[in-house]
Amino acid sequence: MNLLGELQEKTRVSYLFISHNLSVVRHIASRVAVMYLGQIVEIAERDRLFDSPRHPYTQAPLSSVPEPGAELRRERILLRGEVPNAADPPPGLPVPPPRPHAEERRRKEKPALREWAAGHSAACHLLSS
């Protein structure tokens, strides 16, 4: 990972780095896109995304990453339900929400990826209301 970083600094090359390891993503990336079933659900500069995730599918995995030296443990966010068939996804956004009040709307309608702050976009009904 360090070699990739050094090469990037020396040659000004860009990488598309795909990983489920959030610690590695935080170490290597400058901008992060979170995908679910082939759709981008959130995209932002690395620090903004890790410090202030907006989409439930971003918040859930980040809530499980241990933070060295953290005084208090973060509340763990769990997504419930089954992962839908990626070849035949439902009409709405198929992310099982930890927020029950979003359930009905998300089943019927897929939210658009919208900018909620400069350079930080998320596809979430609660941000677009």
Side-chain angles (χ1 to χ4, degrees), residues 1-118:
M1 293 297 118
N2 291 336
L3 179 58
L4 288 174
E6 290 173 25
L7 286 171
Q8 188 174 33
E9 280 184 32
K10 288 179 184 174
T11 64
R12 306 298 299 161
V13 68
S14 294
Y15 295 111
L16 173 61
F17 184 78
I18 301 170
S19 177
H20 286 102
N21 186 324
L22 297 174
S23 296
V24 172
V25 169
R26 189 168 205 169
H27 177 72
I28 198 169
S30 58
R31 188 157 174 80
V32 178
V34 177
M35 295 184 76
Y36 183 76
L37 292 179
Q39 301 291 315
I40 293 176
V41 295
E42 187 161 4
I43 186 168
E45 297 298 318
R46 175 199 57 222
D47 291 339
R48 181 178 291 238
L49 186 121
F50 277 82
D51 294 342
S52 185
R54 305 305 295 175
H55 195 278
Y57 189 71
T58 306
Q59 293 168 348
L62 287 177
S63 74
S64 68
V65 175
E67 290 192 32
E71 297 284 326
L72 300 171
R73 293 187 64 124
R74 285 187 273 195
E75 180 182 341
R76 183 79 196 271
I77 299 170
L78 299 174
L79 298 175
R80 301 189 193 304
E82 297 295 318
V83 176
N85 180 349
D88 186 25
L93 186 65
V95 177
R99 307 172 212 170
H101 55 281
E103 179 75 23
E104 187 61 32
R105 185 174 180 196
R106 73 132 189 124
R107 272 192 227 180
K108 297 177 183 175
E109 162 190 355
K110 187 180 293 189
L113 186 65
R114 295 187 183 166
E115 188 171 70
W116 72 273

